Amino acid sequence: MKRICLALMLPAAIAAQPQNAAPAISLVQTKGGGTAGVPMQIIILLTLLTILPAVIMSVTPFLRITVVLHFLRQALGTQGTPSNQVLIGLALFLTILIMQPVVMDMYHKGWEPYENGQASWQQAFDDGTQPLKAFLVRYVREKDVKLFLDVSHTSVPKRPSDLGLAVLVPAYVLSELKTGFQIGAVLFLPFLIIDLVVASVTLSIGMVQLPPIMLSAPFKILLFVLVDGWNLVVGSLIRSFYQT
C-alpha cells in the first residue's frame, strides 16, 4: 500500500517542483534491505495490473461461475439479459467471497515476512503460493495433472503440494471448464423439455406464425422465477467450492 501511494503521489510531486529544477526521484528503501526506484515500482505495478485479469480468470472460481452463468442465460433464451457486465460483476463478487480466505493466507505467509525483512523474495514467493497451490489441488482432476506432467516431461512428485504452478494452473483450467460444462448441461435439461413440449403443441395445432422458441421463453422465465432460480444456482455454485 505504501508503494502504491508513493507511485500515485510521484506525478504531483514532480509537478510541484520549480520548472528550472530537475525532478528528484529518490529510492525507496525496503525493510528487506533492497532498494527499488519509484519508476521501477510503477512499471512493476502496471505489469501486475496487466496480467491481473488473466490471473483472476485462470486460478480462481471466476472461470466456473462465468461458464455456468453463460449456459444459464442461453438456456433461458433471454438473449442479452442479464447483460455481460452484470454476469461478470456477479461472478467477480462471488469470486472475491470464495477466494478471500486464500488471499489473506497468501498475504500473511508471503508478503508480510518479505515486508518485515524476515524472508527473501524467493522464499516469500514459495511460502505465499502454498495456500494457492492447496486451493488448486482440491479442484484439479488427476487426469489433467497427468496430462501436463507428461507434456512437460516432469516426474510425478511424492506429494500433491510439490506440484508446480506451471502444471497446476493449466490443469485447473481444464478441470474447471469440464465442471462448468457439466453443470451447464444439467441446467439446460429442464428448459429443453419446455422447448420440446411447446414445439410439439404448436406444430400439432398448426400454429406456425410464431417460432416455438418465442412462445416457450415466457414459460421458461416463469418457471425459473417460481423456483427462485438465481438463489438456487448461485447457492449451489458457492457450496460446490466449500464442500469439495
Side-chain angles (χ1 to χ4, degrees), residues 210-225:
L210 293 176
I213 188 66
M214 183 176 296
L215 296 175
S216 63
F219 295 101
K220 292 189 290 186
I221 296 174
L222 180 61
L223 172 65
F224 190 71
V225 171

Side-chain angles (χ1 to χ4, degrees), residues 178-215:
K178 183 176 181 179
T179 303
F181 273 72
Q182 288 176 340
I183 299 175
V186 174
L187 286 175
F188 250 103
L189 291 178
F191 301 108
L192 179 60
I193 293 175
I194 295 178
D195 286 333
L196 292 175
V197 171
V198 172
S200 300
V201 172
T202 54
L203 290 177
S204 63
I205 63 177
M207 183 182 296
V208 294
Q209 292 83 1
L210 293 176
I213 188 66
M214 183 176 296
L215 296 175

Side-chain angles (χ1 to χ4, degrees), residues 73-131:
R73 186 175 65 180
Q74 292 294 108
L76 286 172
T78 55
Q79 302 301 325
T81 304
S83 63
N84 290 331
Q85 290 83 353
V86 174
L87 295 183
I88 292 176
L90 176 60
L92 182 60
F93 282 107
L94 293 178
T95 302
I96 294 173
L97 175 64
I98 298 171
M99 290 297 295
Q100 184 177 2
V102 179
V103 174
M104 294 304 298
D105 201 11
M106 293 173 61
Y107 175 79
H108 292 311
K109 291 184 177 180
W111 179 255
E112 281 188 346
Y114 174 73
E115 190 178 27
N116 296 329
Q118 300 173 356
S120 61
W121 70 268
Q122 295 93 339
Q123 185 64 35
F125 178 80
D126 293 338
D127 294 341
T129 53
Q130 289 304 316

Side-chain angles (χ1 to χ4, degrees), residues 227-239:
V227 300
D228 199 4
W230 288 111
N231 185 281
L232 292 176
V233 172
V234 172
S236 299
L237 282 173
I238 296 177
R239 282 190 291 270

